Amino acid sequence: MRSKWDGLLAPTAALTDTAHPGTAVRFSASLFLPEIADSVAVSVTVHAGSVSAYACDIVVPAPYRDSDMDIPAYALVLLTVCALVVSMILLFIRRLRSYEIGWRTGLYLAAIAAVAFSTELVETPELGLTWELLVVVLITPIFVGLAVAVVWPIGESIAREEMRPQLFAFDLLFKGRIMHAEVGKGILGGIAAGTALAAVWLLLVRLAGLAVPLWMTGHDQESLASIGTYSPMLIQLGRQVVNAIFITAALFLFVVSVFKRRIASPALLIVVGALPYAILSGQDLHPFPLGSLIALAIGAGLVWTLLRINALALLVAVCTSGLILTTALMFSSGNPWLHSAATGHAGLAAVLIAWALAALWTKDPDADPDAIAFLQHAESSTG
């Protein structure tokens, strides 16, 4: 049975594939998609019967070019970023002078972020194994780790004052109490929340797309860009881990704690606390007002996860929601290499769920979360 796509992609070049022996063939076409009322330029490279490279240049629909919302939206994003950065710097200086900054958890997460970020550099074959790449691989993750080592303690320091119990899971985890029920609750609750929020995002985007044309910028082809890497699983996992750490520390631990000092209503706190996340994440989905509303719903769910479960659940939820979306793209790509990466993500989720269930069933009665949190905060503040 022939489809409307048959015959549209024509071979345009025979290429020599440097990564694999043999010849690769590039197919390209210009297609009109009625869903966006515009054309897209598609290029697919096939090697040995499998897709080895893909590119899609999507033209922004005419009604949304040079939109009047662009300047106010960019100004709002810039204002939000400036307010967040300045307020975090001022708090960091004040807490540092009064020795109220705890470094232990931040240093652990900084090491994790540095290793996660380095996978994207090492796993990209087209960069080649050169001395320049080795220098980048060694230096760039250090700066990422240093950023985490500063950003996380800022959010943690104020969060310990406003919602200290939410941080017990991290205290237990980095004290070696990996089988405590609080850790299991954070992992299992985070996976469940992240899965639910990913489903909500897909549903909202689908419903909004029925009313107006939507398009994404920035992150819509990340999983497809992993086709040419040695391990798409590690690439996507590393990206999501680094993003989740920064988002958890800056947009939730810090922001929600600041608003919690002034807002007594939990419902209002959930909505207001999600606003910065909605503004910064909404810029990836256009039109911006609609993208921000969808991001506000997801941000509210993340704030609820932080307040109702704990901070570990929030971190896992942010990472899980991003991985689910990219894993779905991998499964639908038709590329066996990406299928194996998606299977690896599913296997990792199964291991984490098993760990969480075991931790919930084998609670350590001798672990006092409050005492562990107090001792860790005291030790890290003085050393």
Side-chain angles (χ1 to χ4, degrees), residues 112-137:
I112 293 173
V115 173
F117 185 82
S118 65
T119 59
E120 184 169 356
L121 300 176
V122 175
E123 293 288 339
T124 307
E126 56 265 25
L127 294 178
L129 187 59
T130 63
W131 287 107
E132 292 82 359
L133 176 61
L134 290 177
V135 172
V136 172
V137 170

Side-chain angles (χ1 to χ4, degrees), residues 72-379:
Y74 294 146
L76 182 59
V77 170
L78 181 60
L79 181 62
T80 302
V81 171
C82 291
L84 184 63
V85 171
V86 171
S87 58
M88 292 186 73
I89 291 176
L90 293 177
L91 178 66
F92 178 71
I93 294 174
R94 186 165 62 250
R95 293 296 173 91
L96 193 62
R97 288 178 176 178
S98 58
Y99 301 99
E100 296 179 346
I101 289 287
W103 301 99
R104 184 184 295 272
T105 303
L107 291 177
Y108 279 117
L109 291 175
I112 293 173
V115 173
F117 185 82
S118 65
T119 59
E120 184 169 356
L121 300 176
V122 175
E123 293 288 339
T124 307
E126 56 265 25
L127 294 178
L129 187 59
T130 63
W131 287 107
E132 292 82 359
L133 176 61
L134 290 177
V135 172
V136 172
V137 170
L138 291 175
I139 294 179
T140 308
I142 293 177
F143 285 102
V144 173
L146 289 175
V148 172
V150 173
V151 172
W152 185 273
I154 296 174
E156 181 186 5
S157 66
I158 188 172
R160 287 197 180 276
E161 295 180 355
E162 301 301 323
M163 42 186 174
R164 184 170 179 171
Q166 268 60 42
L167 295 169
F168 285 164
F170 279 111
D171 298 325
L172 290 162
L173 185 63
F174 293 123
K175 278 291 186 178
R177 305 280 189 169
I178 62 173
M179 298 305 295
H180 194 276
E182 191 71 14
V183 175
K185 183 176 72 172
I187 295 174
L188 193 61
I191 293 176
T195 303
L197 291 175
V200 170
W201 186 87
L202 290 172
L203 177 62
L204 293 178
V205 170
R206 174 59 178 168
L207 294 177
L210 296 176
V212 297
L214 298 177
W215 71 97
M216 295 186 66
T217 58
H219 312 290
D220 54 333
Q221 297 187 45
E222 279 190 355
S223 60
L224 292 173
S226 302
I227 291 178
T229 62
Y230 293 119
S231 177
M233 173 186 171
L234 290 179
I235 290 286
Q236 294 301 323
L237 183 62
R239 286 175 179 173
Q240 297 301 330
V241 167
V242 174
N243 291 339
I245 292 174
F246 279 110
I247 289 173
T248 299
L251 294 181
F252 290 100
L253 289 183
F254 178 78
V255 170
V256 175
S257 297
V258 170
F259 286 129
K260 196 172 187 296
R261 289 182 168 183
R262 297 164 175 82
I263 300 176
S265 171
L268 183 60
L269 176 62
I270 288 176
V271 175
V272 176
L275 285 175
Y277 174 84
I279 294 172
L280 298 183
S281 297
Q283 62 180 323
D284 294 332
L285 183 63
H286 301 274
F288 176 76
L290 190 56
S292 296
L293 286 176
I294 294 176
L296 180 62
I298 304 304
L302 292 172
V303 175
W304 180 91
T305 302
L306 171 62
L307 298 177
R308 184 66 178 82
I309 308 178
N310 55 43
L312 178 59
L314 170 63
L315 178 64
V316 174
V318 175
C319 191
T320 299
S321 61
L323 275 178
I324 286 178
L325 296 176
T326 55
T327 300
L329 286 175
M330 288 178 174
F331 269 123
S332 62
S333 66
N335 184 277
W337 192 234
L338 291 184
H339 285 175
S340 64
T343 304
H345 289 160
L348 177 61
V351 171
L352 291 176
I353 292 173
W355 171 18
L357 291 175
L360 287 172
W361 289 337
T362 58
K363 179 178 180 181
D364 185 355
D366 298 326
D368 180 4
D370 189 70
I372 292 175
F374 175 82
L375 290 175
Q376 177 176 340
H377 184 59
E379 291 173 1

